[in-house]
Amino acid sequence: MAAVLALLATGTVLMLRGDDSTHSDGKSTATSPTPTPTPTTINGREFLNVDPPKPKSADDYIQTPGTWLTSRVFATGAEEAVTGYNPTTGKRVWTVPLSGGLCGASRTVTSAGLVAVVFHATKDSDKSYCTRFAVIDVNKGVKVWEKPITDESVTDGLGLNVAISDTVAAAGWPEGSAAYHTSTGAPAWTAPADGCTQEEHLGGAELLTLSYCKTSAGMKFRIGERDPGTGKATWRYEVPKAKGAWLVSSEPLVLGLLQNDKGLDADQLVTVSDEGKVQSTISLGDDYVAGCGEAGGCGATVVSGDTAYLGSDPHSFTAGNRITAFDLTTGKAIRSFSASDDSTLVPVRADGKALVAAQEAEPSAPARVLRLDPATGKSTTLMEMPNELSLNSSLHSLIRTDAKEPMVYDNGRFFLHTGSGYFASDTTPDPMTLAFTTW
């Protein structure tokens, strides 16, 4: 749920977006991703292909958010369920059924293999609200606990944000916030912090909260941590001025800010020190795509230590883009990498001090996974998908800076999943889930 202010002629409306590698959620989407080895081949072989759900009517809206990888399983959201696959063979190994369709899911998985999901109370999503919250152990394929969200202002999940840490699992939406102890499901809080109206949460080892709060100077964005026992917030930073704010990373604390009245994505990255002081500011303007918005966090931004990676906006369907590494201590660009084949490069995750990036497919050019090293300027191809017209079309859609689900690459395997966008009228839909391997 990112907080984004839209100033309209009729008044002021706060729009919030739904809840990754210190890729916009503090820690990695994979549990302790292994260092990328030198592949024995770069030829990617498809080993998982899952058809999308089939809407029954034009009004039927199905969501399947959730993409998680551990050393034991690759799991995704599915139609009224969460499903786990063997990450080596692609074979489905378990399904956890839910009472209704998914509304939101955490972008992270904890070190113990736990994820959080919010879903409808019944299978009739038109008549039931997103009032069920559960933590699922994706390593075991079991529901750890399920609890109700008693505040029905969550309604159909518009602007819903879901996050999980080792201690707290939380949801936030435009008029509320709810959190539970990760291990037991005991309530931690049932409303936003005192004086605040709505919240976004960032997962990782600890849960970080961005709140929209009333102050003597007006409404402000505040970033802090809430005590799981009392619900009280300890504020780490207050944004002095912004139209919108997103949590990008917790270690270090990096925020995406919107200063432009007409924008919807962050046009600034701000690094905040442990003392609560601005350490650096990176002006993005409309040249770079941070990916802050409905997908949650800033999905097209990867933060690794003191470096942030962002892809540029080519401002043209026929031009390629570049990925630039920025020093978060100074705010200055370190090095840029340009895409080949006039395609688009999208940051995926950190690999040590380097970056793993995906290059979208073009009609006659295959998708690729690359390792970009800002220290040497070297670009290494880790994987190249088969160069097939229909597959290129699907991968052109799945590899995007505005993708709502994170792409996951680890140890020679590449996973892609779509969280929404299924239509009854679509006679040749793209797969919901695809995975490739070089092994």
Side-chain angles (χ1 to χ4, degrees), residues 110 116 133 135 145 163-171 178-183 186-189 201-209 226-229:
T110 72
F133 195 115
V135 162
W145 52 259
I164 190 169
S165 73
D166 292 344
T167 55
V168 181
Y180 310 82
H181 290 262
T182 300
S183 58
W189 61 80
H201 307 289
L202 179 72
E206 300 294 334
L207 194 78
L208 197 62
T209 297
R226 296 187 65 175
D227 187 312

Side-chain angles (χ1 to χ4, degrees), residues 4 7 41 77 79 127 131 234 255 259 281 313 329 362-363 385:
V4 179
L7 302 179
T41 176
E79 186 174 7
K127 295 182 180 179
T131 53
T234 301
L255 308 176
Q259 304 291 0
T281 299
D313 185 343
T329 61
E362 297 297 331
M385 269 47 81

Side-chain angles (χ1 to χ4, degrees), residues 55 57-63 101-102 120 125-126 156 404 419-423:
S57 68
D59 297 328
D60 192 13
Y61 185 65
I62 300 171
Q63 296 188 87
L102 283 161
H120 284 273
S125 58
D126 290 334
D156 60 359
K404 293 185 177 181
S420 63
Y422 314 110
F423 302 98

Side-chain angles (χ1 to χ4, degrees), residues 26 34 36 47 49 53 63 92 113 119 133 146 163 196 269 356 364 406 429:
T34 54
T36 303
F47 73 100
N49 186 319
Q63 296 188 87
R92 187 170 67 183
F119 48 99
F133 195 115
E146 178 180 336
C196 306
L269 288 187
V356 173
S364 60

Side-chain angles (χ1 to χ4, degrees), residues 126-146:
D126 290 334
K127 295 182 180 179
S128 69
Y129 290 160
C130 299
T131 53
R132 305 303 299 179
F133 195 115
V135 162
I136 294 171
D137 185 330
V138 295
N139 283 330
K140 299 177 180 178
V142 298
K143 191 186 297 178
V144 179
W145 52 259
E146 178 180 336

Side-chain angles (χ1 to χ4, degrees), residues 366-390:
R368 299 182 179 93
V369 178
L370 309 171
R371 185 179 190 271
L372 311 178
D373 189 341
T376 63
K378 185 178 181 180
S379 173
T380 304
T381 299
L382 302 176
M383 181 184 292
E384 182 172 287
M385 269 47 81
N387 191 6
E388 301 169 1
L389 185 61
S390 60

Side-chain angles (χ1 to χ4, degrees), residues 291-358:
C292 310
E294 290 300 320
C298 294
T301 305
V302 168
V303 172
S304 175
D306 57 4
T307 306
Y309 297 90
L310 294 101
S312 68
D313 185 343
H315 298 293
S316 169
F317 291 113
T318 60
N321 79 333
R322 67 187 184 278
I323 284 179
T324 300
F326 291 91
D327 186 332
L328 289 171
T329 61
T330 64
K332 296 181 178 180
I334 303 169
R335 193 184 294 271
S336 289
F337 299 84
S338 295
S340 61
D341 303 323
D342 291 331
S343 62
T344 298
L345 286 172
V346 184
V348 174
R349 73 162 177 87
D351 180 28
K353 294 187 177 181
L355 176 77
V356 173

